[in-house]
Amino acid sequence: MWGVDFQDAVLRPLAERLCRVDGVVGVTLGGSRARCTHTAESDYDLGVYYRGTLDTDGLTALAQEWAGAGTTATRTGEWGPWVDGGAWLSCDGRAVDWLYRDLDRVTAVWRDAQQGVYGFHAQTGHPFGFADFAYAGELASAVILADPSGQLGEFRTDMQHYPDALRDALVRRGLWEAEFVTVLARKAIPRADTTYVAGCLFRAVCLCAHALHAHARRWLISEKGAVAAAGALPNAPADFSARAHAVLGRLGTTPDELSAALTLAERLVADTRDACPLT
C-alpha cells in the first residue's frame, strides 16, 4: 500500500506540476516500479515527455521546490544522445529520477520500428548500446501519471502491439550478427585477447536475449536483467540464463580456455536460432 500511496500522494501531483513547465507534454512512471518487478530500494523513474524547446530552467526551479535548493535539472543533451537529460531527486526520502524523452523522436523511432528498422546506439550507461525501440517498450509498459493532451495514452495503446516487422528483423539480423561476432572472436583466440573475446561474446549473448524477446513479442528495454528475463520466456532454450552467464563467467586467459567459452557461446546462439523459427 505504501507504494500506491506514494504514487498518488507524491508522484501524480508532481507529474501534474511538471506538465505546467513549457515543453512538457506528459509524464509516466516507468522501470521496475511500473512493471511491478521492483525491490524496496528501486528508484522511481519518471519519463518526462516533451516537444520542441524544453524549459529546463523551469524544471530546475520545480526540482528545487520539491527536493531542495541543491537539486538541478540538466539541459537537454547533457546525458547523451538517447537518454538526453533529466534530474535526480529525493522526495520523502525516496529516489525519484526524471528522464527526458523527446516525443517527436519517440514518434520517429516508432515509425521505424513498425517497418523493422532499429539500431543499438552509443549511450552512457548502456554498454551494449541503447536500443532505440526501447522508447516504444517504455511507453507500452508505463503507468501514465499525467497526460493532459491524451497523446501518451494514444501512443501507449498502439505500442501494446509488438510490430511483426521488428520481430522478424531482430531475429533474422540479430542472430546473423550474433553468429558473425562469434566468428570474429575465434580470430582473436590465438592472440589470447580476452578483452576482445569478452566484448564479442557479451554482444552475442545480448543479441540472443533480444531475439528471444522479439520472437515472443515482448519488449526488452535494457541490458540490465536481460539474460534472466530471456531465460524466463517460454520460447527460451533450456537453461538459457545459466548457459549465458557461464559463457562470460569462465572466459579464462589462455587460448584453450577462450576456445571452450566460445564453443559454449556458439551452441547457445545455435539453440537460440532453433528456438526462434520464422515462417
Side-chain angles (χ1 to χ4, degrees), residues 192-238:
D193 191 345
T194 297
T195 300
Y196 182 79
V197 172
C200 288
L201 298 191
F202 170 66
R203 189 158 188 88
V205 166
C206 287
L207 288 164
C208 286
H210 273 287
L212 287 166
H213 276 81
H215 189 265
R217 292 185 172 86
R218 306 278 185 88
W219 293 109
L220 179 57
I221 295 172
S222 173
E223 306 97 328
K224 290 188 292 186
V227 167
L233 294 171
N235 60 320

Side-chain angles (χ1 to χ4, degrees), residues 4-272:
V4 174
D5 291 343
F6 184 75
Q7 180 174 310
D8 290 340
V10 177
L11 297 186
R12 289 191 186 278
L14 175 57
E16 291 169 2
R17 289 291 305 279
L18 280 165
C19 288
R20 298 177 201 163
V21 176
D22 286 347
V24 177
V25 174
V27 180
T28 64
L29 172 65
S32 62
R33 292 283 180 180
R35 298 190 299 272
C36 296
T37 59
H38 59 279
T39 66
E41 292 75 29
S42 295
D43 295 348
Y44 289 82
D45 294 332
L46 300 190
V48 180
Y49 288 82
Y50 69 95
R51 275 203 160 111
T53 301
L54 181 62
D55 180 8
T56 54
D57 289 336
L59 289 175
T60 289
L62 181 59
Q64 291 177 354
E65 178 185 334
W66 281 73
T71 310
T72 60
T74 73
R75 303 294 182 187
T76 54
E78 281 192 26
W79 286 354
W82 291 89
V83 183
D84 69 330
W88 292 310
L89 282 65
S90 177
C91 297
D92 288 353
R94 305 292 168 177
V96 178
D97 301 336
W98 296 355
L99 303 172
Y100 301 161
R101 291 291 184 263
D102 182 339
L103 193 54
D104 287 334
R105 194 174 199 182
V106 172
T107 303
V109 164
W110 176 235
R111 285 197 299 264
D112 284 345
Q114 291 174 298
Q115 300 300 314
V117 177
Y118 70 90
F120 300 111
H121 308 274
Q123 169 63 48
T124 302
H126 291 264
F128 174 69
F130 184 85
D132 50 23
F133 54 85
Y135 284 161
E138 287 173 342
L139 257 182
S141 61
V143 174
I144 295 177
L145 298 177
D147 183 22
S149 67
Q151 295 177 69
L152 297 188
E154 291 178 8
F155 278 117
R156 188 182 184 281
T157 297
D158 289 344
M159 292 167 181
Q160 298 300 309
H161 174 72
Y162 197 103
D164 291 341
L166 181 62
R167 173 182 184 256
D168 291 354
L170 281 166
V171 171
R172 295 185 195 279
R173 179 179 149 197
L175 292 181
W176 171 86
E177 185 184 346
E179 292 167 349
F180 184 71
V181 295
T182 60
V183 172
L184 294 178
R186 280 250 174 240
K187 296 179 182 295
I189 286 177
R191 300 190 301 275
D193 191 345
T194 297
T195 300
Y196 182 79
V197 172
C200 288
L201 298 191
F202 170 66
R203 189 158 188 88
V205 166
C206 287
L207 288 164
C208 286
H210 273 287
L212 287 166
H213 276 81
H215 189 265
R217 292 185 172 86
R218 306 278 185 88
W219 293 109
L220 179 57
I221 295 172
S222 173
E223 306 97 328
K224 290 188 292 186
V227 167
L233 294 171
N235 60 320
D239 301 319
F240 176 85
S241 296
R243 293 167 65 190
H245 288 311
V247 166
L248 295 166
R250 295 191 293 271
L251 274 182
T253 56
T254 68
D256 285 346
E257 290 171 330
L258 293 174
S259 182
L262 185 51
T263 296
L264 293 178
E266 290 166 337
R267 290 172 181 163
L268 188 66
V269 173
D271 288 350
T272 299

